[in-house]
């Protein structure tokens, strides 16, 4: 039986929504309960923990699997096996970034222009040191921040290395980005010993497949296309890449196709322009690509 650690904080609600969409509803006695269960064969129990702690819990075998951010995996320096990555955050479906930012009136326009010995506040001291020492080859004084990092400027720091999703917090605190240091997402990870167990690996891969199918469904729609048989040769090339023939009758052809949501309007225009007489868009709950 497999144990799973899920993140608290900003990742908790989007993670719970993704699990529910995947048919893996996390059941708790109350919204504040830190222990839960999932009605899925092979999962023994669920525990909630801070994202920064989960890599260590998984690496030392306390839990078999965990979901956490790539930033905290790198920051902790722990050895875990990545099962799958999911690009979401609290407010976006594209993950988040760790950026280097300075006050609006700072003269530097690139990271290379920052002066030697600059004070940089960050909740990620290991990432910050690695970035300045290994990637920039610059000397910097890293100030470990335990929250409210933007407020450290100007009294305790000259710059910040901080997480952004939309960038609003930086703007509200009169800071501007110099450079993106890391692109981050959520990863389902396993401990080395757990991953070596075929039973644990099988559960992990099934969970990853279900989560990814639910996530992919939010970005796609199902199009059902009805076309006169004598226009099929014109319509077929305009179908989205993934399509299949359902059949037809009485001089018509019926096909279905998956289409990215952002391209639905254009696809419908192309299909009707080529001769389709009916296009029905249907929301999807899961999209499994084997």
């Amino acid at each position: 039986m497999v144990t799973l650690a899920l993140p608290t904080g900003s990742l908790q609600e989007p993670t719970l929504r993704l699990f529910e969409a995947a048919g893996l509803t996390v059941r708790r006695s109350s919204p504040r309960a830190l222990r839960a269960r999932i009605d899925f064969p092979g999962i023994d129990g669920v525990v909630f923990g801070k994202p920064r702690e989960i890599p260590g819990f998984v690496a030392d075998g306390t839990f078999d699997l965990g979901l956490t951010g790539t930033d905290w995996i790198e920051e902790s320096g722990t050895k875990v096996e990545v099962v799958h990555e999911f690009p979401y955050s609290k407010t976006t479906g594209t993950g988040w970034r760790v950026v280097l930012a300075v006050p609006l009136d700072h003269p530097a326009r690139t990271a290379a222009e920052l002066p030697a010995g600059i004070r940089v506040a960050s909740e990620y001291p290991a990432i910050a040191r690695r970035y300045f020492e290994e990637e920039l080859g610059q000397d910097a004084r890293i100030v470990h921040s335990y929250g409210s990092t933007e407020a450290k400027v100007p009294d305790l720091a000259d710059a910040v290395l901080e997480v952004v999703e939309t960038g609003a917090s930086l703007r509200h605190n009169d800071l501007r980005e110099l450079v993106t240091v890391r692109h981050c997402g959520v990863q389902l990870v396993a401990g080395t010993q757990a991953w070596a167990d075929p039973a644990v690996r099988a559960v992990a891969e099934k969970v990853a497949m279900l989560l990814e199918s639910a996530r992919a469904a939010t970005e796609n729609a199902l199009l059902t296309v009805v076309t006169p048989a004598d226009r099929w040769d014109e319509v077929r090339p305009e179908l989205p890449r993934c399509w299949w023939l359902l059949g037809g009758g009485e001089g018509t052809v019926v096909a279905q196709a998956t289409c990215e949501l952002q391209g639905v309007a254009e696809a419908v225009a192309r299909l009707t322009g080529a001769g389709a007489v009916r296009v029905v868009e249907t929301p999807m709950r899961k999209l499994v690509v084997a």
Side-chain angles (χ1 to χ4, degrees), residues 13-183:
E13 288 307 315
T15 296
L16 291 176
R17 289 196 298 269
L18 178 61
F19 269 71
E20 183 170 7
L24 300 169
T25 302
V26 179
R27 306 186 187 281
R28 296 184 288 175
S29 58
S30 77
R32 294 187 177 183
L34 297 179
R35 291 188 177 275
R37 63 184 177 84
I38 295 175
D39 297 328
F40 185 75
I43 297 181
D44 185 44
V46 177
V47 175
F48 288 85
K50 292 182 178 181
R52 69 181 67 194
E53 297 176 323
I54 289 176
F57 293 158
V58 172
D60 68 15
T62 302
F63 302 107
D64 299 309
L65 306 174
L67 265 86
T68 187
T70 54
D71 45 0
W72 291 117
I73 295 171
E74 180 180 352
E75 178 65 24
S76 68
T78 52
K79 173 62 177 176
V80 292
E81 302 292 337
V82 178
V83 182
H84 197 82
E85 182 166 346
F86 306 94
Y88 68 86
S89 66
K90 178 181 179 180
T91 59
T92 76
T94 56
W96 62 97
R97 296 176 296 130
V98 176
V99 305
L100 181 62
V102 294
L104 292 175
D105 59 358
H106 198 286
R109 288 294 179 266
T110 67
E113 295 175 1
L114 294 173
I118 187 172
R119 301 172 302 165
V120 181
S122 181
E123 292 188 64
Y124 306 100
I127 293 176
R129 291 191 187 94
R130 187 175 299 115
Y131 177 71
F132 275 89
E133 293 174 4
E134 299 179 8
E135 299 181 38
L136 288 183
Q138 290 178 268
D139 179 38
R141 178 185 167 194
I142 307 302
V143 180
H144 194 173
S145 173
Y146 294 90
S148 302
T149 304
E150 295 93 339
K152 303 295 191 298
V153 178
D155 303 294
L156 300 174
D158 309 303
V160 299
L161 191 129
E162 178 67 319
V163 164
V164 299
E165 293 185 15
T166 64
S169 182
L170 291 182
R171 293 190 293 272
H172 291 324
N173 288 280
D174 297 323
L175 298 171
R176 60 178 171 84
E177 296 180 27
L178 277 184
V179 65
T180 296
V181 174
R182 296 288 187 272
H183 289 276

